[in-house]
Amino acid sequence: MKVILIRFGELTLKGKNRKECERVLYNNIQKQLSDFELTFHKDRNRIYINIRKVEYFEEIKGIIKKIPGIHSFSIADVCEPNIETIKEVAINNFNIDMPCFKVNTKRSDKTFPLLSQEVSRIVGGAILFANDGLKGMRVDVKNPEQEINIEIQKNSAYVFHQKILGMGGLPIGTAGKSIVLLSGGIDSPVAAIMAMKRGLKITCLHFSSPPYTKQESLQKVFDLVKILQTFDKDIKLIDCNFSEIQLAIHQECQDRYEVTILRRMMLRQASRACYKMRSRVIITGESLGQVASQTIDGMFVTDNTVPNLILRPLITMDKLEIIKLAEKYKTYEISILPYEDCCVIFLPKNPATSPKLEIIEAEEEKIDFKKLIENSPIKIYKYNDLHQTNSILDELM
């Protein structure tokens, strides 16, 4: 029988919170793999997934690699914890195309009659004997072509080759909830993934401005959220119509302050969403100095708007570093599609890079922003909604 053996990383350092973190991770794994016929169980420092159909492993592997909180995992053969059975399974697992090998053993069950080194030596000898005469056949503990790994537990032994690195980090939900300001650009989807990696459960908030933004720009956001949902199926998208607010800012406020005021309005709307979902955290994709509004002065003025904690996972990264992560997580190709979001509507030629709080607050007095924010039309999309995108767009059009 084949089993996926999942190892924890950071969770082992969590002390009194460790059991709760493991429980959350266990539930997250079950949820993300709910489309497959699998059985799960947890024991000590491992989660085990029994696979009935090995042909689905590549698809399952891709999903597991995107679940925060997993350090590494392997596909293993499970057998009785006795040396004769272990030898037989190890011989069957040996790849004759890579005759230079080593055997690693981890004996979690200390009542097992052989030490780890003894198991490795006995199994290695059995592999050599079974493949006697094979060209290049030898043990090399420093530079092997393949490794046979053995883990011995109380009731079972596991034999496998590869340790596949997971995403690491903390299970989603162990650090609380947050709102992510999600544009259709490169940065914010990466920031969302970085937030999830540190255990935050996210809800995406997008601002659209029809008719100034096209339906294709909303489609971009739908597609980006569908990628984010490969990390967490529970992610919701809140689409907020900001047309009236943007038009009011453009007509009543000095153009050089439009971007700063718009961002303050977005944070106010995000803060309202945080209140409803009992969260204190807002995530943005800002990187220090990348654009005019992302200066220290600009961030200070925008942060002053709301009482929430504003986190910027990309704050010290340059654009090339962010692009590299976007390519890794498969959001880049969608983000660069040529459909503009609301942030570039009415974009001034010379936006203020060092706005003063008192000036911005005076400009905001020119509009009834509280009423505009409260009356902004909102639509909420869940997992099933976003996987029927065409029908949604038909309705919107």
Side-chain angles (χ1 to χ4, degrees), residues 180-194 284-287 290-291 294 313-314 317-319 322-323 326 331 335:
V180 174
L181 301 186
L182 186 73
S183 71
I186 296 171
D187 302 338
S188 57
V190 177
I193 294 168
M194 295 296 98
T284 81
E286 292 167 295
S287 171
Q290 189 175 124
V291 295
Q294 296 176 19
L314 313 182
M317 295 185 186
D318 63 33
K319 198 66 178 182
I322 298 169
I323 288 173
T331 59
S335 293

Side-chain angles (χ1 to χ4, degrees), residues 183 207 209 213 246 259 262-263 266 340-348:
S183 71
F207 298 95
S209 295
T213 53
Q246 281 197 266
V259 174
L262 177 62
R263 292 199 67 79
M266 290 177 172
E340 299 175 339
D341 59 38
C342 74
C343 292
V344 298
I345 304 300
F346 310 130
L347 191 66

Side-chain angles (χ1 to χ4, degrees), residues 201-216:
K201 193 166 190 66
I202 69 168
T203 295
C204 297
L205 176 59
H206 175 70
F207 298 95
S208 55
S209 295
Y212 308 109
T213 53
K214 297 179 180 180
Q215 294 299 337
E216 287 85 352

